[in-house]
């Protein structure tokens, strides 16, 4: 193995131990490549063809969906040790991307070329299990998102969103703007600002310039 392959092998062992099947591991090391993205950088955009399945090894990624009127909604966050199941369906059906993925923090990931996704489903049980678990996790995330929109008031959605951001960033102080939150929640900036002030009065957050601290 060269230095890059050794790095990929170690990273897979550390963050994706469930994919330790020897032959699968060797193939992943052989065809996988390391990719790096800065915070805020678009990784996959709407309409493009997905060519890689991402295996996240550092940072976090937010996954967004756009409606027919161009409004965006945050679907879920990807964390270290996870992948994007929606990329699997686009890969296997060779269809254009329905999602946009953006680096929430600086991101490092192992990219697996799409031609191996279906092939490994037939060859390796551990890969098949990994794909199915990823689908199950993302389905539960999507159900939570739908329930939140349908049944919860915006102040509850906002607080849950901030808790999610803190979890994926592993930092109680978030560097963000009211406008950025409004985009993710498909709300107006004015509504988000008003609700944040209410949460501050309730002692649940502390507000600063482009910073929000979640009070535990």
């Amino acid at each position: 193995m060269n230095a890059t392959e050794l790095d990929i092998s170690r990273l897979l062992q550390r963050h994706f131990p469930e994919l330790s099947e020897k032959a699968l591991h060797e193939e992943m090391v052989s065809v996988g490549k390391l990719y790096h993205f800065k915070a805020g950088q678009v990784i996959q955009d709407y309409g493009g063809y997905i060519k890689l399945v991402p295996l996240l090894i550092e940072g976090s990624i937010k996954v967004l969906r756009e409606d027919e009127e161009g409004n965006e909604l945050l679907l879920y966050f990807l964390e270290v040790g996870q992948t994007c199941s929606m990329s699997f369906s686009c890969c296997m059906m060779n269809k254009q991307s329905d999602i946009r993925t953006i680096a929430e923090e600086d991101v490092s990931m192992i990219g697996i070329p799409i031609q191996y996704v279906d092939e490994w489903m037939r060859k390796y049980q551990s890969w098949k299990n990994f794909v199915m678990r990823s689908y199950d996790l993302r389905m539960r995330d999507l159900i939570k998102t739908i329930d939140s929109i349908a049944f919860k008031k915006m102040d509850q959605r906002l607080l849950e969103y901030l808790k999610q951001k803190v979890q994926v960033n592993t930092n109680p102080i978030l560097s963000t703007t009211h406008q950025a939150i409004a985009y993710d929640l498909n709300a107006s900036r004015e509504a988000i600002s008003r609700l944040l002030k209410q949460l501050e009065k309730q002692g649940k957050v502390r507000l600063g310039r482009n910073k929000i601290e979640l009070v535990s």
Side-chain angles (χ1 to χ4, degrees), residues 12 16-21 23-25 27-28 31 52-55 82-84 87-88 91-92 110-135:
L12 285 171
F16 296 89
E18 66 270 46
L19 300 175
S20 58
E21 209 172 333
L24 171 62
H25 182 85
E27 283 203 60
M28 294 179 77
V31 304
L52 298 168
V53 169
L55 303 178
Q82 297 181 350
T83 188
C84 182
S87 66
F88 287 127
C91 288
M92 290 188 281
I110 299 169
I112 302 295
I114 61 169
Q115 61 264 34
Y116 296 97
V117 173
D118 195 36
E119 176 187 335
W120 289 352
M121 287 279 283
R122 297 190 299 271
K123 287 173 64 176
Y124 301 115
Q125 187 63 43
S126 60
W127 176 259
K128 183 178 180 179
N129 292 343
F130 173 71
V131 171
M132 298 311 295
R133 280 196 299 269
S134 297
Y135 272 122

Side-chain angles (χ1 to χ4, degrees), residues 146-159:
I146 293 169
D147 284 349
S148 178
I149 294 170
F151 304 118
K152 294 183 179 178
K153 295 180 180 179
M154 182 56 75
D155 59 341
Q156 294 174 299
R157 289 180 59 201
L158 174 57
L159 191 57

Side-chain angles (χ1 to χ4, degrees), residues 119-216:
E119 176 187 335
W120 289 352
M121 287 279 283
R122 297 190 299 271
K123 287 173 64 176
Y124 301 115
Q125 187 63 43
S126 60
W127 176 259
K128 183 178 180 179
N129 292 343
F130 173 71
V131 171
M132 298 311 295
R133 280 196 299 269
S134 297
Y135 272 122
D136 181 61
L137 175 62
R138 296 285 79 92
M139 182 60 69
R140 283 185 275 129
D141 283 340
L142 289 174
I143 289 171
K144 287 179 183 177
T145 299
I146 293 169
D147 284 349
S148 178
I149 294 170
F151 304 118
K152 294 183 179 178
K153 295 180 180 179
M154 182 56 75
D155 59 341
Q156 294 174 299
R157 289 180 59 201
L158 174 57
L159 191 57
E160 286 188 0
Y161 167 86
L162 295 174
K163 289 178 179 178
Q164 276 188 301
K165 292 264 287 185
V166 165
Q167 179 181 325
V168 300
N169 288 296
T170 63
N171 189 337
I173 300 177
L174 302 172
S175 296
T176 188
T177 65
H178 296 189
Q179 185 63 70
I181 296 172
Y183 278 135
D184 284 349
L185 295 179
N186 193 15
S188 69
R189 184 189 60 78
E190 293 78 12
I192 294 301
S193 296
R194 184 179 69 253
L195 290 171
L196 283 171
K197 288 177 182 176
Q198 287 180 11
L199 291 175
E200 185 176 41
K201 288 180 181 177
Q202 294 167 8
K204 295 178 180 179
V205 301
R206 295 190 188 98
L207 303 179
R209 184 173 178 79
N210 293 338
K211 290 187 183 298
I212 301 170
E213 181 180 0
L214 190 64
V215 179
S216 58

